[in-house]
Amino acid sequence: MKRRGLLLIAFSALLVFLSGCNTLKVLDPKGPVAKTQSDVIIFSIITMAFILLVVYVLYVYMLTKYRASKAAPDYEPPHDEGKTWLEITWTAFPLIIVIILSVVTIRSTNAVEAVPKDYQDQKPMIIYAASSNWKWHFSYPEEGIETVNYVNIPTHRPVEFRLYAYGPITSFWVPQLGGQKYAMSDMVTKLNLVAEHEGSFVGKNANFSGEGFAHMEFEVLAMNQKEYDKWVDEVKNTASELTPDEFQTLLDTKFVGRKTYSSTHLTFLPPPEGEHAGHNHGDSAAKSELDQFQIDQPGAENSGGGETEHSGHNH
């Protein structure tokens, strides 16, 4: 009786504690990709809960049916041969569960890797997201602008994030819009997301990358197309240009706040894709390429050569 009372108190305390928790972001999707992943998580939890329920019921049944009795010490229970139907059952059910979870996983993985089916008739907006110690650089090649530690996107339009890193491997993750994907120094990975609701969503680095890992959060602000166009025009008219020297300063500085520029670093330091794929884009490599660029092409930040090459990748 005493043990039962302690269990009841512990269970009640757990309920009170959980009632004060905020909704898990991954279970509060604001886009089709996150919705697909949320459905898979919930389905998996229900499946595992069902398995646990069956196991606990059988456990209690076995304890009750085969508990110690007052039989004579020399009593021997009758010999019981193995039952074929039982052996088939405990072999078939786990196999069926594995097959179901495998099918769900494969289908959902293919779905989140592609542009969501309701948006496949639209041209995705491309945003390059590059990480460095310890910040995020967002380059908009179509608009010709760049931001640091925040990114604005229009709602109801597919966005293709192209991820890479200046330094250690990081993981780009916006829980309410979709799952995480790694950003590496010598290649570009792609992540397709869509925001179907306006609002501010938290993004972060989901891969431990050093002492400044906890500071690698950024804001994703989803707005309607009219407000987004207005913001882009404001950036073009008011923000300063991003020069090679300024970009190198950003890479060398560990922590910076939000910054906005009316040009991108893609013109003078292309991402590691196409002919640049396989090259190390860590901090030292970035400095070397920037120095070489300044030696070979002084004032090239105002030329169109890099922009033309980059435009070929996007169009």
Side-chain angles (χ1 to χ4, degrees):
M1 183 66 183
K2 183 178 180 180
R3 180 179 299 177
R4 184 178 300 176
L6 291 175
L7 289 175
L8 181 60
I9 293 174
F11 181 71
S12 301
L14 180 62
L15 288 179
V16 173
F17 173 75
L18 292 177
S19 64
C21 295
N22 294 326
T23 303
L24 291 174
K25 297 298 184 183
V26 293
L27 299 181
D28 183 25
K30 300 299 181 182
V33 177
K35 180 66 166 60
T36 298
Q37 295 174 327
S38 175
D39 291 343
V40 172
I41 292 173
I42 293 174
F43 176 79
S44 300
I45 291 175
I46 292 175
T47 302
M48 290 184 287
F50 173 75
I51 295 172
L52 287 175
L53 177 63
V54 172
V55 170
Y56 289 147
V57 169
L58 289 175
Y59 178 69
V60 173
Y61 172 76
M62 293 299 177
L63 288 180
T64 303
K65 182 176 177 61
Y66 298 103
R67 69 187 184 277
S69 63
K70 296 181 180 179
D74 58 347
Y75 170 76
E76 292 186 7
H79 181 69
D80 193 3
E81 296 288 345
K83 290 183 170 54
T84 303
W85 68 271
L86 278 178
E87 295 180 2
I88 293 176
T89 299
W90 65 53
T91 302
F93 268 85
L95 182 62
I96 292 173
I97 293 171
V98 170
I99 292 175
I100 292 174
L101 291 177
S102 298
V103 171
V104 171
T105 300
I106 293 172
R107 293 184 61 182
S108 62
T109 300
N110 291 332
V112 300
E113 283 295 317
V115 176
K117 62 180 182 179
D118 293 336
Y119 297 90
Q120 292 179 348
D121 59 336
Q122 298 185 37
K123 178 185 176 182
M125 183 179 74
I126 295 173
I127 299 178
Y128 285 85
S131 63
S132 66
N133 293 344
W134 282 272
K135 66 196 78 69
W136 291 93
H137 311 260
F138 297 97
S139 306
Y140 299 71
E142 297 177 12
E143 291 81 359
I145 62 176
E146 185 160 327
T147 61
V148 178
N149 289 333
Y150 80 98
V151 57
N152 292 352
I153 61 174
T155 55
H156 301 286
R157 181 179 176 184
V159 179
E160 182 184 286
F161 285 97
R162 297 187 177 182
L163 314 171
Y164 60 104
Y166 293 100
I169 295 176
T170 55
S171 178
F172 182 91
W173 187 30
V174 186
Q176 289 183 276
L177 296 182
Q180 65 87 25
K181 184 165 283 190
Y182 290 112
M184 294 166 278
S185 63
D186 60 352
M187 65 179 295
V188 170
T189 55
K190 298 178 181 180
L191 179 64
N192 294 289
L193 300 178
V194 177
E196 294 186 324
H197 301 269
E198 296 181 19
S200 175
F201 310 118
V202 176
K204 60 184 66 180
N205 172 20
N207 184 63
F208 181 74
S209 57
E211 62 178 342
F213 157 76
H215 298 278
M216 290 191 69
E217 289 192 352
F218 58 91
E219 179 189 22
V220 180
L221 183 60
M223 57 184 71
N224 60 57
Q225 188 66 50
K226 183 178 179 180
E227 291 180 348
Y228 174 78
D229 293 337
K230 181 180 178 181
W231 171 75
V232 171
D233 291 338
E234 181 180 350
V235 171
K236 290 181 177 180
N237 294 327
T238 60
S240 60
E241 291 188 0
L242 179 59
T243 64
D245 288 338
E246 173 69 12
F247 187 66
Q248 184 59 52
T249 300
L250 288 175
L251 293 180
D252 293 338
T253 306
K254 291 184 177 181
F255 306 105
V256 300
R258 296 190 180 196
K259 291 185 177 294
T260 310
Y261 300 96
S262 59
S263 64
T264 76
H265 75 270
L266 304 177
T267 57
F268 53 82
L269 189 58
E273 61 182 348
E275 64 181 285
H276 304 283
H279 296 291
N280 190 310
H281 272 61
D283 289 346
S284 59
K287 180 175 178 57
S288 175
E289 292 191 43
L290 279 168
D291 291 344
Q292 187 63 39
F293 177 87
Q294 291 173 310
I295 293 173
D296 296 341
Q297 303 181 46
E301 63 270 19
N302 295 322
S303 68
E307 184 62 31
T308 301
E309 176 185 359
H310 178 72
S311 299
H313 292 305
N314 297 309
H315 301 291

